[in-house]
Amino acid sequence: MTDDIMNHDIDLQRLVQFYQSLSPQSLPQVATLYDPQARFKDPFNEVIGHAPIVKIFEHMFRQLEAPRFVVTSSIAQGDQAFLIWNFEFRMKRWNEAPQTIRGASHVRFGWNGLVLVHRDYWDPAEELYEKLPLLGALMRMLKRSASR
């Protein structure tokens, strides 16, 4: 195993620890884990840089109650890594049962161990929209119609 791969294993462990203990107070750590020009993309956002990445998580904490990531699996190979996770939360607007979104993240590390690219993969229709009171019924109807 080369030093580069070993270093990225450690970088991946640091990233997993960050996400599993994510809180409003830990958001400044983005600057210690992500390159200043890091690209971050999920189904709703595509941004570059520390401040916009932090803004995404600040918005998450404003909108959701008790959001947390549980990384169920991760693997690093060379300068890339893949994480499989569950995102657990409750919507502040509705007094509903806890929700879980299942997804995955692909990250690429730079030579310095900082994340250069972070891309989240999850299906907003299945994991989010179908669970909303009014939109959910419409999404389930469309899904049934498309599968015929």
Side-chain angles (χ1 to χ4, degrees), residues 7-145:
N7 287 342
H8 292 308
D9 283 342
I10 293 167
D11 300 328
L12 177 58
Q13 290 172 16
R14 289 179 54 232
L15 189 65
V16 168
Q17 175 60 35
F18 169 73
Y19 276 101
Q20 292 197 133
S21 61
L22 189 62
S23 70
Q25 296 75 29
S26 69
L27 290 178
Q29 291 179 31
V30 164
T32 67
L33 298 165
Y34 285 79
D35 185 85
Q37 293 301 308
R39 295 179 175 275
F40 181 97
K41 182 175 170 103
D42 68 17
F44 301 114
N45 305 282
E46 185 168 3
V47 299
I48 298 173
H50 294 155
I53 293 170
V54 168
K55 196 174 273 193
I56 290 168
F57 292 114
E58 288 172 340
H59 180 261
M60 175 191 77
F61 283 111
R62 281 193 306 275
Q63 298 298 314
L64 304 176
E65 183 178 314
R68 73 182 200 114
F69 288 93
V70 178
V71 176
T72 60
S73 182
S74 64
I75 187 167
Q77 181 175 3
D79 67 346
Q80 299 189 60
F82 198 75
L83 295 81
I84 299 172
W85 44 261
N86 292 331
F87 177 58
E88 301 169 352
F89 65 95
R90 290 174 63 120
M91 297 292 287
K92 285 186 177 179
R93 292 183 185 175
W94 300 289
N95 190 13
E96 63 180 27
Q99 301 292 321
T100 300
I101 292 174
R102 290 160 189 81
S105 300
H106 172 247
V107 297
R108 189 166 56 85
F109 295 101
W111 63 269
N112 57 2
L114 299 179
V115 175
L116 294 173
V117 177
H118 178 137
R119 173 107 188 236
D120 286 346
Y121 295 94
W122 58 277
D123 181 357
E126 178 182 349
E127 299 289 347
L128 185 61
Y129 300 149
E130 286 184 12
K131 297 174 184 177
L132 297 175
L134 296 176
L135 188 56
L138 175 62
M139 294 301 294
R140 287 187 297 276
M141 182 184 73
L142 290 172
K143 190 175 183 179
R144 281 191 304 271
S145 178

